[in-house]
């Protein structure tokens, strides 16, 4: 793997919502195999950036290059197949379906039998179903959710629901994983476990991870690089140790108090 | 949350899980299988002990069940509303009426043509319908239902105008020792079984999961790679196909079609049957069909003056006792009998735990998905 193998390049990304500029000329690279932390105060534009990558929002200006292809030429439903999976800050599970079924949806983009073949249950269907189930079980096991496989993906603790989303994202065998505040709802001990899980998953599955998280210790501990947003602008980028000392970053975070 | 040391460990954990489950699950499956076989035997022997009129009533139940299954696939499994399925029922009915009377085409072929036509019509209707969600879609489809009788009358050189078209009842083939009503019973029952099997296949795998995912959370579904627009239009097409085939069979059974039988009330009746039976359920369509066939008849017997008042009371009672439909109740009873601790993953089970969200388009998870901002 080349030292400078860029999997995701963001250029001049600008998003405006009636009046406010949610992203303002943001530029940075994500190198393959790295964990990149994306931080910033509330409303800085982190989730907006994820939503651009998922094609939920179309930027007013700028480019997003994933493995050299412009993401902006793909419709929403093609993103997963390209190799980008995500979790959602405020959860987007399928609440009337079981945990297993939720995670099986994660493998949807890796399979292709359609209406006709399913209605007639033609041979490829059984094979694909087995594949989907195996992939999902593996992912569920990885996240320690086996005992909940047949439970509905609702009425469970927030942290558990977050883990189900994590498992579902992994079932898509992504190259790039977008985690939007995965530590939400976890206690101190669990945050520590999650951090090591993310690192292990990266190692094991050869993933690249873009991590949005307010848990500063965790971000600084596991990120290879940190990008800091404030009011839609990138105000810093670099190794965790550098970013932590950056005066502008300190001002952004402590602004009101100085 | 520690990773297992090796893939092998994953395997043992997985199989360990599977080993703890089957006792209860296979028990339930056995119950279901026995129930199914017994029902089938009864269903195929039943007409021998029925009067012609009773056989006709059951034929009508089967026909409605096919139509309702189409509606269930759309509303219950995909979260799209329709108050206009009477239009597809009419399209299927007139396809058969026109083809058999004008061109002498064997009725068997016309059933297939009716299905294909409605599949295409439903798909095409589903495309613009993508712009509407929830109640707006309900209204758009209701407009379709309202205009159906007028449209039928307008094309009177094809449809025979308000006079309608009289069909020949299918004659009994191969010299079978049954009468025409019994034959229709067997014909519709067989078509019903075939279509129920296809629906079950469709709903229990990747396609069915994607349909339900769209219902539960369209934004998440799309993020998983589901082509929402295509799935929703195709689901609309499949749904219309079921209802159209029902219409075709209905024309054969009644041997008559006329515009005013396909009014908006028919569409509403379908929705009633769908909800009473259990909206996110395959088998529920049968119960719903029995409801809309028999309850009005009994209501008429109880009170000639106000049958619909009685129908209304029975309907409210049903919804009160079985808020998730007959299928929902049945599912819970079966679950209690076999004492399963948690839900098993199958299309039919969704019904007991949660009916389709009332307003799938605007459900809050969709908004949650795009961040916290409304
Ligand atoms: N769909 C939208 N419509 C209008 N404004 C929006 C929309 N999405 C985001 N915004 C606004 O854009 C800005 C950036 O929001 P965003 O959710 O990206 O922030 P964030 O960095 O994820 O914050 P947090 O840490 O609180 O999750 C905010 O001011 C937000 O109100
Ligand atoms: Mg956010």
């Amino acid at each position: 793997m080349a030292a400078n193998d860029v999997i995701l390049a963001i250029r001049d990304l600008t998003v405006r919502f009636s009046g406010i500029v949610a992203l303002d000329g943001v530029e940075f690279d994500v190198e393959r195999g790295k964990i990149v932390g994306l931080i910033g105060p509330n409303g800085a534009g982190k989730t907006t950036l994820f939503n651009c990558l998922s094609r939920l929002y179309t930027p007013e200006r700028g480019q997003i290059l994933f493995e050299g292809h412009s993401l902006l030429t793909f419709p929403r439903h093609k993103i997963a197949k390209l190799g980008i999976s995500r979790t959602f800050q405020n959860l987007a599970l399928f609440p009337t379906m079981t945990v297993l079924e939720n995670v099986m949806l994660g493998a949807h983009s890796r399979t292709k039998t359609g209406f006709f073949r399913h209605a007639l249950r033609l041979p490829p269907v059984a094979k694909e179903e087995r594949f989907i189930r195996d992939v999902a079980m593996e992912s569920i096991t990885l996240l320690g959710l086996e005992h909940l496989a047949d439970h509905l993906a609702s009425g469970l603790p927030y942290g558990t629901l977050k883990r189900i989303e994590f498992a579902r994202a992994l079932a898509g065998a992504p190259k790039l994983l977008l985690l939007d505040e995965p530590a939400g709802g976890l206690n101190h001990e669990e945050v520590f476990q999650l951090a090591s899980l993310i690192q292990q998953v990266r190692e094991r599955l050869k993933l690249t991870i873009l991590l949005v998280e307010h848990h500063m210790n965790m971000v600084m501990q596991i990120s290879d690089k940190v990008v800091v947003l404030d009011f839609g602008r990138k105000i810093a980028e670099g190794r965790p140790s550098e970013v932590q000392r950056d005066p502008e970053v300190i001002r952004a975070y402590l602004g009101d108090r100085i | 949350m520690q990773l297992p040391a090796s893939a092998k460990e994953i395997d043992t954990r997985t199989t360990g899980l599977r080993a703890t489950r089957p006792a209860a699950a296979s028990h339930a499956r056995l119950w279901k299988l026995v129930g199914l076989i017994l029902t089938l035997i009864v269903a195929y022997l039943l007409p021998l002990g029925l009067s012609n009129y009773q056989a006709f009533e059951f034929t009508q139940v089967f026909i409605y069940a096919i139509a309702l299954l189409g509606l269930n696939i759309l509303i219950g499994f995909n979260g799209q509303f329709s108050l206009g399925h009477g239009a597809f029922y009419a399209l299927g009915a007139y396809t058969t009426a026109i083809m058999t009377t004008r061109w002498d085409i064997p009725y068997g072929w016309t059933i297939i043509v009716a299905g294909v036509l409605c599949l295409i019509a439903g798909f095409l209707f589903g495309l613009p319908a993508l712009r509407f969600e929830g109640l707006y879609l309900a209204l758009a489809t209701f407009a379709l239902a309202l205009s159906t009788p007028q449209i039928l009358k307008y094309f009177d050189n094809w449809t025979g105008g308000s006079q309608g078209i009289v069909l020949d009842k299918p004659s009994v083939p191969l010299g079978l020792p049954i009468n025409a009503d019994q034959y229709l019973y067997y014909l519709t029952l067989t078509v019903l079984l075939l279509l129920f099997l296809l629906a079950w296949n469709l709903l229990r795998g990747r396609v069915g999961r994607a349909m339900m995912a769209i219902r539960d959370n369209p934004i998440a579904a799309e993020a998983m790679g589901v082509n929402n627009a295509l799935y929703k239009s195709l689901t609309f097409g499949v749904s219309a196909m079921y209802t159209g085939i029902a219409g075709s069979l209905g024309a054969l059974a009644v041997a008559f079609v006329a515009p005013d039988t396909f009014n908006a009330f028919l569409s509403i009746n379908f929705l009633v049957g769908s909800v009473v039976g259990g909206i996110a359920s395959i088998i529920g369509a049968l119960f719903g069909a029995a409801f809309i066939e028999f309850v009005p008849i009994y209501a008429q017997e109880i009170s000639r003056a106000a049958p619909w008042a009685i129908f209304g009371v029975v309907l409210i009672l049903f919804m009160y006792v079985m808020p998730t439909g007959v299928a929902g109740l049945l599912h819970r009873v079966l679950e209690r009998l076999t004492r399963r601790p948690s839900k098993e993953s199958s299309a039919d089970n969704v019904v007991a735990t949660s009916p389709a969200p009332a307003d799938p388009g605007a459900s809050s998870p969709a908004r949650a998905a795009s961040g916290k901002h409304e």
Side-chain angles (χ1 to χ4, degrees):
Chain A
M1 200 178 296
N4 239 339
D5 181 7
V6 174
I7 186 168
L8 180 73
I10 292 180
R11 293 288 172 268
D12 193 25
L13 199 65
T14 302
V15 175
R16 206 187 299 267
F17 296 109
S18 56
I20 53 158
V21 186
L23 288 176
D24 187 0
V26 173
E27 307 211 354
F28 64 91
D29 287 346
V30 175
E31 283 168 27
R32 197 182 294 277
K34 296 283 157 63
I35 297 179
V36 173
L38 183 62
I39 62 170
N42 289 112
K46 308 177 295 288
T47 300
T48 302
L49 192 135
F50 273 20
N51 286 344
C52 287
L53 293 171
S54 309
R55 298 287 287 117
L56 289 172
Y57 299 160
T58 298
E60 181 182 298
R61 215 172 62 224
Q63 252 324 324
I64 303 170
L65 297 174
F66 179 72
E67 299 195 309
H69 307 287
S70 170
L71 271 196
L72 302 181
T73 61
F74 290 92
R76 281 177 204 172
H77 65 269
K78 290 277 173 63
I79 301 299
K81 195 169 168 69
L82 284 178
I84 303 178
S85 294
R86 76 173 287 183
T87 67
F88 293 84
Q89 178 173 352
N90 290 337
L91 295 173
L93 287 162
F94 308 116
T96 70
M97 302 168 73
T98 65
V99 171
L100 177 63
E101 286 168 325
N102 268 267
V103 178
M104 286 168 96
L105 246 304
H108 184 90
S109 61
R110 302 168 68 187
T111 45
K112 58 174 191 289
T113 50
F115 278 69
F116 187 73
R117 284 192 281 186
H118 269 266
L120 299 181
R121 206 81 188 166
L122 296 179
V125 171
K127 200 170 143 225
E128 268 195 6
E129 285 295 308
R130 222 175 305 121
F131 170 77
I132 292 173
R133 188 170 289 266
D134 289 348
V135 163
M137 278 318 297
E138 204 171 313
S139 185
I140 280 176
T141 309
L142 205 62
L143 272 291
L145 294 163
E146 308 95 305
H147 58 295
L148 294 174
D150 291 336
H151 194 287
L152 287 181
S154 50
L156 292 165
Y158 193 74
T160 307
L161 296 174
K162 283 248 146 190
R163 261 193 293 159
I164 298 169
E165 277 214 339
F166 197 162
R168 187 178 67 177
L170 287 180
K175 298 171 188 164
L176 175 65
L177 176 62
L178 313 174
L179 297 173
D180 201 346
E181 305 199 10
L186 300 185
N187 64 33
H188 187 76
E189 173 69 13
E190 289 167 334
V191 171
F192 179 73
Q193 288 177 345
L194 178 67
S196 74
L197 176 75
I198 291 175
Q199 280 180 309
Q200 292 174 69
V201 163
R202 186 261 302 256
E203 232 92 291
R204 161 91 75 97
L205 305 176
K206 307 260 181 296
L207 282 182
T208 309
I209 296 174
L210 192 53
L211 169 70
V212 167
E213 188 46 69
H214 282 295
H215 232 278
M216 234 22 88
N217 287 344
M218 172 177 163
V219 178
M220 296 303 171
Q221 179 201 330
I222 65 174
S223 300
D224 300 298
K225 176 167 94 172
V226 175
V227 173
V228 189
L229 296 181
D230 189 26
F231 290 113
R233 285 187 314 109
K234 184 180 85 174
I235 58 169
E237 172 176 358
R239 284 205 303 277
S241 54
E242 296 165 3
V243 165
Q244 270 171 310
R245 273 184 275 115
D246 190 301
E248 188 141 7
V249 174
I250 293 169
R251 193 161 348 109
Y253 270 93
L254 303 174
D256 328 337
R257 273 174 260 170
I258 291 175
Chain B
M1 259 191 271
Q2 212 62 13
L3 281 184
S6 69
K8 200 168 226 159
E9 207 175 319
I10 294 179
D11 285 342
T12 50
R13 285 198 197 182
T14 315
T15 45
L17 169 81
R18 288 198 181 128
T20 56
R21 248 195 317 173
S26 71
H27 215 83
R29 208 160 296 153
L30 192 70
W31 271 103
K32 282 184 183 170
L33 194 67
V34 171
L36 183 69
I37 291 171
L38 285 179
T39 313
L40 282 182
I41 293 173
V42 172
Y44 272 91
L45 292 178
L46 193 62
L48 306 177
L50 292 178
S51 72
N52 286 352
Y53 181 66
Q54 285 168 324
F56 172 77
E57 281 179 333
F58 276 100
T59 302
Q60 200 63 50
V61 170
F62 298 152
I63 291 169
Y64 283 151
I66 295 170
L68 295 187
L69 181 54
L71 208 50
N72 283 3
I73 291 172
L74 187 72
I75 304 179
F77 288 94
N78 198 218
Q80 301 193 76
F81 264 85
S82 174
L83 270 171
H85 262 45
F88 299 112
Y89 192 83
L91 180 57
Y94 272 91
T95 302
T96 288
I98 292 170
M99 287 179 78
T100 53
T101 55
R102 291 206 165 210
W103 303 321
D104 280 332
I105 295 173
Y107 65 87
W109 292 109
T110 73
I111 300 174
I112 296 170
V113 173
V116 173
L117 262 183
C118 286
L119 178 73
I120 296 168
F123 179 79
L124 293 178
F125 187 85
L127 287 176
L130 291 171
R131 296 174 175 275
F132 300 110
E133 296 201 314
L135 290 171
Y136 295 95
L137 182 57
L139 288 186
T141 50
F142 191 56
L144 188 66
L146 284 176
S147 53
T148 300
Q150 260 104 64
I151 294 171
L152 290 172
K153 284 174 197 166
Y154 181 79
F155 293 103
D156 55 357
N157 45 4
W158 284 96
T159 62
S162 11
Q163 304 293 321
I165 302 172
V166 178
L167 290 77
D168 291 331
K169 242 186 183 166
S171 50
V172 182
L174 311 168
L176 290 173
I178 50 177
N179 63 40
D181 287 310
Q182 288 170 330
Y183 173 62
L184 268 172
Y185 176 104
Y186 286 119
L187 175 70
T188 50
L189 176 61
T190 306
V191 174
L192 172 124
L193 290 174
L194 190 72
L195 289 177
F196 270 52
L197 178 67
L198 293 188
W200 185 57
N201 282 344
L202 192 66
L203 293 169
R204 70 193 155 119
R206 174 181 188 265
V207 171
R209 280 191 303 273
M211 284 165 58
M212 290 184 262
I214 292 171
R215 172 196 70 195
D216 275 16
N217 191 328
I219 289 183
E222 214 154 36
M224 297 305 122
V226 178
N227 186 345
N228 285 10
L230 182 68
Y231 266 77
K232 284 171 84 171
S233 312
L234 279 174
T235 304
F236 216 109
V238 169
S239 168
M241 180 187 86
Y242 271 75
T243 307
I245 291 175
S248 164
L249 291 169
L252 291 171
V254 182
F256 176 63
V257 292
D260 289 321
T261 49
F262 304 107
N263 57 15
F265 189 74
L266 179 66
S267 293
I268 295 173
N269 224 5
F270 284 162
L271 190 66
V272 168
S274 193
V275 172
V276 167
I279 201 130
S281 155
I282 295 175
I283 201 73
L286 260 176
F287 299 114
F291 186 93
I292 59 175
E293 169 67 17
F294 289 121
V295 174
I297 294 175
Y298 291 135
Q300 190 90 37
E301 278 172 17
I302 294 169
S303 159
R304 291 214 155 263
W308 291 111
I310 293 180
F311 181 83
V313 170
V314 175
L315 180 60
I316 290 169
L317 275 179
F318 254 79
M319 292 330 297
Y320 188 75
V321 178
M322 308 176 211
T324 52
V326 182
L329 182 76
L330 210 65
H331 175 71
R332 236 164 314 157
V333 169
L334 198 67
E335 190 151 83
R336 189 147 307 166
L337 281 178
T338 53
R339 280 202 309 268
R340 274 187 299 167
S342 62
K343 311 284 171 287
E344 213 212 330
S345 60
S346 97
D348 228 47
N349 294 342
V350 180
V351 73
T353 48
S354 156
D359 187 4
S363 62
S364 56
R367 262 170 280 144
S370 59
K372 61 189 182 302
H373 330 284
E374 269 93 26

